[in-house]
Amino acid sequence: MALEVVLVVVVAIALAIAVAVTGGSDAGNLTSRGVAAHAPDYFGIGGGLMLAMIMGLATLVGFDSAANLAEEAKDPHRSVPRAIVGSVVAAGILGMVFLITLTLAIEDLPRISAEGSPVAAIMRDRLGAVAEQVLLVAISFAFFGAGIVVMVACSRLVYAMSRDARFPAHRLMRRVDPRTSTPVPATVLILVLGCVLMVALPGAALLELITASTILPALIYGATVVLYLAVRGRLARRKGAFDLGGFELPVAVCALVWTLLALFVLVTPGEALVPVVVVAGLLVLGGLFFLGLLVFDRAALDTEPGGDIRW
C-alpha cells in the first residue's frame, strides 16, 4: 500500500514538472471525449461514462481487506474502520489527482487512445524511455504486493469460515502452522484457485478476473448493508469504538443505493458475460454448500461465530 501511494505521488509530481518545463499540456483534454467524440452511444449503457465508472470501481475494490485481518489487529474496533475509510479517501483523492495529471500530460489524444498501454505511453513521451521502464518495474512490484495482500485477506476469510465449520474441508482449512502462526492450507487454496482460473478462463483472463472480483465484492457489500439495516436495532454499542453517529443510517442507505447502481453498471455491458458467469457459478456453489449445511450440519449454522473470541 505504501509503495503504491509513493508511486502515485512520485509519478504525478514528475509529470507535473515535465509538463511545466516542456509545455504542451491542454486543459481541453479534461473535457474531451477523445476518439469517442462522435459515438452515438457515448452516454448509453456501456459507453465512455460507464467504462470510466467500471475503472473506478475496480480501483477502489479491496478497501475492505483490513476487515479480514481484524483478528490480527490491535484495537480493531477503532483501527480497522479507520483503515477502511482512510484507504478509500486516499485512493479517491490520489487517484483523481493522478488521472488529472496524466490527462493534462497527453499531447496526442488519438495516438494515446490507440496505445495498448496509454499510461506507459504518456510516461514515455513526457519522462523518457528509461524513466518509463523504471516506473513500470516499480509498478510491477506494487501490483505484486497488492496481490499478496488480497491473497492474505482471502486466506483469512477462508480460515475464519473454516474455524466456524462453514467452509468445505473446514478441518483442514482451519489449521494454523505453529511456527508461522498462519493458515497455510487456506493460503495455498487461494493461490491454487487463482492460478487455475488464470489458466482456465478464455481470452483476457486477468481482465475477466478483475471484473468478476469487482462484481462479487459489490454483491457482498450490498448483502452486508441489507443485513446491517435489518438488525441494526439489536446491535450492541462498544464504548470508544468507531461510530458514525447520526450519519449512520443515511450512509447505510446511500451505500445500498450506490451498490445497486454499481452492480447495474458492472453486469450490463456485453463484455461482462464471462465474469457474470464466473460469479454466478460461485454463488451456485455457495448456495449448494449452504443447503448441505442446512440439511446435514444445522448446528454449524445455529452457533454464533466468534463467540469465544476476545479482542
Side-chain angles (χ1 to χ4, degrees):
M1 176 65 181
L3 179 57
E4 293 178 38
V5 171
V6 170
L7 278 174
V8 170
V9 173
V10 169
V11 174
I13 293 175
L15 285 174
I17 294 174
V19 169
V21 172
T22 62
S25 65
D26 186 359
N29 289 345
L30 296 174
T31 56
S32 173
R33 299 184 192 176
V35 295
H38 303 292
D41 60 346
Y42 183 81
F43 292 100
I45 303 300
L49 294 179
M50 291 299 184
L51 290 175
M53 184 176 181
I54 290 176
M55 183 186 73
L57 290 169
T59 302
L60 293 176
V61 159
F63 62 86
D64 59 327
S65 295
N68 295 331
L69 300 173
E71 293 184 29
E72 302 171 45
K74 293 182 179 179
D75 193 14
H77 293 92
R78 299 180 63 185
S79 60
V80 171
R82 289 177 178 178
I84 292 174
V85 174
S87 65
V88 173
V89 172
I93 295 176
L94 292 177
M96 182 59 68
V97 171
F98 182 57
L99 287 176
I100 291 174
T101 306
L102 276 175
T103 305
L104 290 174
I106 297 175
E107 295 179 288
D108 187 344
L109 197 56
R111 179 176 62 82
I112 294 298
S113 300
E115 289 278 352
S117 181
V119 175
I122 296 171
M123 290 192 295
R124 182 173 61 252
D125 291 345
R126 289 293 186 175
L127 304 177
V130 175
E132 175 205 3
Q133 295 301 319
V134 171
L135 289 171
L136 287 179
V137 169
I139 289 171
S140 298
F141 277 103
F143 267 82
F144 179 77
I148 293 296
V149 169
V150 171
M151 186 173 70
V152 170
C154 291
S155 68
R156 268 47 176 189
L157 187 59
V158 170
Y159 163 75
M161 294 182 66
S162 300
R163 181 194 56 205
D164 300 322
R166 299 183 180 186
F167 195 83
H170 62 271
R171 290 182 177 83
L172 172 63
M173 293 301 154
R174 69 187 181 191
R175 293 181 182 175
V176 177
D177 184 87
R179 184 175 63 86
T180 62
S181 299
T182 56
V184 174
T187 304
V188 172
L189 174 66
I190 298 301
L191 174 62
V192 171
L193 284 178
C195 293
V196 169
L197 287 173
M198 286 290 292
V199 173
L201 287 177
L206 181 58
L207 181 60
E208 306 290 2
L209 284 178
I210 290 175
T211 307
S213 64
T214 305
I215 296 173
L216 194 57
L219 286 171
I220 296 173
Y221 300 157
T224 301
V225 174
V226 170
L227 179 62
Y228 168 75
L229 290 173
V231 303
R232 60 184 295 266
R234 304 197 298 270
L235 296 177
R237 304 289 176 175
R238 178 182 289 266
K239 186 177 181 180
F242 181 86
D243 194 346
L244 289 173
F247 292 99
E248 180 181 295
L249 184 58
V251 168
V253 173
C254 289
L256 181 59
V257 173
W258 173 253
T259 302
L260 293 174
L261 177 61
L263 283 171
F264 175 75
V265 171
L266 287 168
V267 304
T268 301
E271 293 82 357
L273 177 60
V274 173
V276 168
V277 171
V278 171
V279 171
L282 292 174
L283 291 176
V284 169
L285 290 175
L288 291 175
F289 180 69
F290 176 78
L291 184 61
L293 285 178
L294 198 62
V295 175
F296 300 107
D297 193 8
R298 184 61 181 266
L301 297 178
D302 291 338
T303 303
E304 182 179 357
D308 58 339
I309 296 175
R310 296 293 181 266
W311 302 108

